[in-house]
């Protein structure tokens, strides 16, 4: 049966796999919302126990320090944004994660966490570091890198307990969310929350990662890649495919149908041309920290552009990438030196 299922999945077209991934993500998001609406993990702010859409103003107070480093002072949303209709039950906002909310890519931060827990080798982490550096340098996603990361991750988690990965995600993204959030995008999230709208994270990252980031930001919920699991253990397969490109649009469309949203009244935010299908679904598309292809498309379509990076591109992404490469090179050199020392000893 397992062989037959794999063959059946392999024969599905890319469109069918994207649709299946979208439906799976929407079903998981709705189930989580029905079971227990996402609430911010922090509990040291007044009203931090509030849950559900439209109640995350307190979550913003609790998490604004994460985004700005200045407790009690929330970032301001950029001017010339559309004003979300207050308490509109059919409106929502959808935010991409990598380089839109988060500096860098969530899957690579997860890779670091997996390495620290012995799930990855030095070779794996060196490859992840190189891919992350290229992402920071070019600001675009390489499909080959994404496929490589997916296959590596699936091979690693096959047979592992879902609870173990969830615990690692909690540990890794507690610090990542605190240090890597774009304050400007965080303000946009809060703008929709303050209007009483539902706000969803939409990412190719694993659903376990997506939920933690969404919870930390006080969002309503998350749409992420769904890994197949049985009896509390991962099978090493995805439900459909990565939630990437057209699959994100399928997930947003499926969730809108389930939650009775009017996409013409919704907003979406992304940095990547890969998300043009998702952005094209909504009445209020926003382009945040865009790659070149998306910037050109946005200019042609008259979409709003928000760039929270400062200075010339070389300054805003080249130097961080150089730093990332330096760290990777340093780590590799240190590993080699340690190995030589052990051999001599």
């Amino acid at each position: 049966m397992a062989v037959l299922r794999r063959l059946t999945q392999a024969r599905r077209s890319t469109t069918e796999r994207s649709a299946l991934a979208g439906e799976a993500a929407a079903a998981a998001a709705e189930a989580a919302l029905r079971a227990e609406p996402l609430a911010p993990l922090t509990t040291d702010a007044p009203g931090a126990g509030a849950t559900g859409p439209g109640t995350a103003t307190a979550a913003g107070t609790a998490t604004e320090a994460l985004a700005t480093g200045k407790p009690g002072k929330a970032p301001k949303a950029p001017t010339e944004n559309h004003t979300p209709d207050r308490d509109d039950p059919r409106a929502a906002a959808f935010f991409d994660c990598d380089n839109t909310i988060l500096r860098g890519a969530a899957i690579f931060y997860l890779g670091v966490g997996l390495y620290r827990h012995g799930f990855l080798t030095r070779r794996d982490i060196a490859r992840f570091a190189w891919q992350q550096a290229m992402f920071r340098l070019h600001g675009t996603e390489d499909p080959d890198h994404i496929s490589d990361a997916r296959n590596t991750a699936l091979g690693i988690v096959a047979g592992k307990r879902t609870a173990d990965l969830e615990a690692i995600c909690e540990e890794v993204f507690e610090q990542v969310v605190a240090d890597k959030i774009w304050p400007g995008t965080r303000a946009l999230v809060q703008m929709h929350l303050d209007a009483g709208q539902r706000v969803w994270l939409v990412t190719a990252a694993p659903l376990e990662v997506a939920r933690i980031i969404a919870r930390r930001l006080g969002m309503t919920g998350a749409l992420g890649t769904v890994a197949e699991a049985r009896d509390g253990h991962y099978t090493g397969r995805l439900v459909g495919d990565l939630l990437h490109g057209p699959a994100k649009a399928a997930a947003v469309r499926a969730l809108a149908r389930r939650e009775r949203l009017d996409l013409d009244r919704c907003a979406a935010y992304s940095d990547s041309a890969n998300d043009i299908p998702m952005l094209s679904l909504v009445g209020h598309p926003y382009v945040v920290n865009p790659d070149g292809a998306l910037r050109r498309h946005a200019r042609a379509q008259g979409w709003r552009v928000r760039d929270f990076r400062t200075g010339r591109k070389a300054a805003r992404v080249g130097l961080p990438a150089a730093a990332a490469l330096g760290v990777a090179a340093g780590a590799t050199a240190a590993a080699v030196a340690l190995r030589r020392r052990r051999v001599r000893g």
Side-chain angles (χ1 to χ4, degrees):
M1 288 299 293
V3 172
L4 179 61
R5 184 168 53 251
R6 282 197 296 272
L7 287 173
T8 302
Q9 289 176 344
R11 288 172 182 166
R12 288 189 177 121
S13 68
T14 301
T15 300
E16 290 173 329
R17 292 197 302 272
S18 294
L20 181 58
E23 288 289 347
E30 188 182 45
L33 186 62
R34 295 289 177 265
E36 183 179 356
L38 288 179
L41 295 179
T42 42
T43 57
D44 56 351
T51 61
T55 61
T57 301
T61 303
T63 58
E64 63 201 18
L66 297 178
T68 65
K70 298 177 181 179
K73 186 177 181 181
K76 293 182 179 180
T79 58
E80 299 180 6
N81 296 298
H82 85 279
T83 303
D85 292 333
R86 189 163 190 83
D87 298 321
D88 183 352
R90 303 196 65 194
F94 300 93
F95 284 81
D96 170 54
C97 182
D98 297 348
N99 213 36
T100 302
I101 285 181
L102 198 67
R103 294 184 179 95
I107 189 69
F108 299 120
Y109 295 125
L110 176 60
V112 172
L114 291 172
Y115 169 71
R116 290 172 179 168
H117 286 269
F119 285 78
L120 291 173
T121 65
R122 285 191 182 96
R123 183 176 181 179
D124 292 328
I125 201 62
R127 185 171 70 251
F128 273 31
W130 172 259
Q131 293 168 353
Q132 171 71 349
M134 291 301 97
F135 180 85
R136 293 291 298 273
L137 177 62
H138 298 292
T140 57
E141 300 162 323
D142 186 319
D144 290 336
H145 290 175
I146 292 171
S147 177
D148 184 30
R150 175 193 60 192
N151 294 334
T152 298
L154 289 175
I156 290 166
V157 302
K160 300 293 194 302
R161 295 196 316 145
T162 58
D164 292 341
L165 181 62
E166 289 167 0
I168 292 173
C169 290
E170 291 274 3
E171 176 187 313
V172 171
F173 287 94
E174 172 75 17
Q175 188 61 40
V176 167
V177 173
D179 294 341
K180 304 296 183 181
I181 296 296
W182 290 106
T185 313
R186 177 67 186 90
L188 292 171
V189 169
Q190 194 62 44
M191 177 181 71
H192 287 278
L193 292 172
D194 288 343
Q197 291 189 353
R198 285 165 283 184
V199 180
W200 298 87
L201 186 68
V202 189
T203 175
L207 182 59
E208 294 82 357
V209 170
R211 284 176 172 168
I212 291 169
I213 295 174
R215 193 181 307 131
R216 285 293 291 170
L217 296 177
M219 293 170 134
T220 308
L223 297 163
T225 296
V226 179
E228 186 182 79
R230 289 187 177 181
D231 301 322
H233 292 76
Y234 292 106
T235 66
R237 293 185 295 271
L238 297 179
V239 180
D241 206 343
L242 281 176
L243 203 71
H244 186 259
K248 282 189 181 180
V252 168
R253 193 182 294 109
L255 186 68
R257 185 182 68 249
R258 291 167 177 270
E259 294 292 304
R260 298 181 180 179
L261 300 173
D262 181 351
L263 288 173
D264 286 339
R265 291 146 77 171
C266 293
Y269 300 79
S270 179
D271 71 294
S272 173
N274 293 314
D275 288 336
I276 288 175
M278 179 180 74
L279 293 168
S280 299
L281 285 179
V282 301
H284 301 284
Y286 279 84
V287 172
V288 178
N289 304 330
D291 60 34
L294 182 57
R295 187 182 291 275
R296 289 189 294 273
H297 186 86
R299 188 179 298 118
Q301 296 294 321
W303 292 352
R304 299 177 180 91
V305 178
R306 299 287 176 262
D307 200 327
F308 301 124
R309 301 166 297 190
T310 59
R312 294 179 302 171
K313 184 173 183 179
R316 66 188 178 228
V317 292
L319 292 180
L325 286 171
V327 170
T332 303
V336 171
L338 180 60
R339 189 178 298 112
R340 288 175 176 171
R341 192 174 301 140
R342 285 175 178 171
V343 170
R344 289 173 182 173

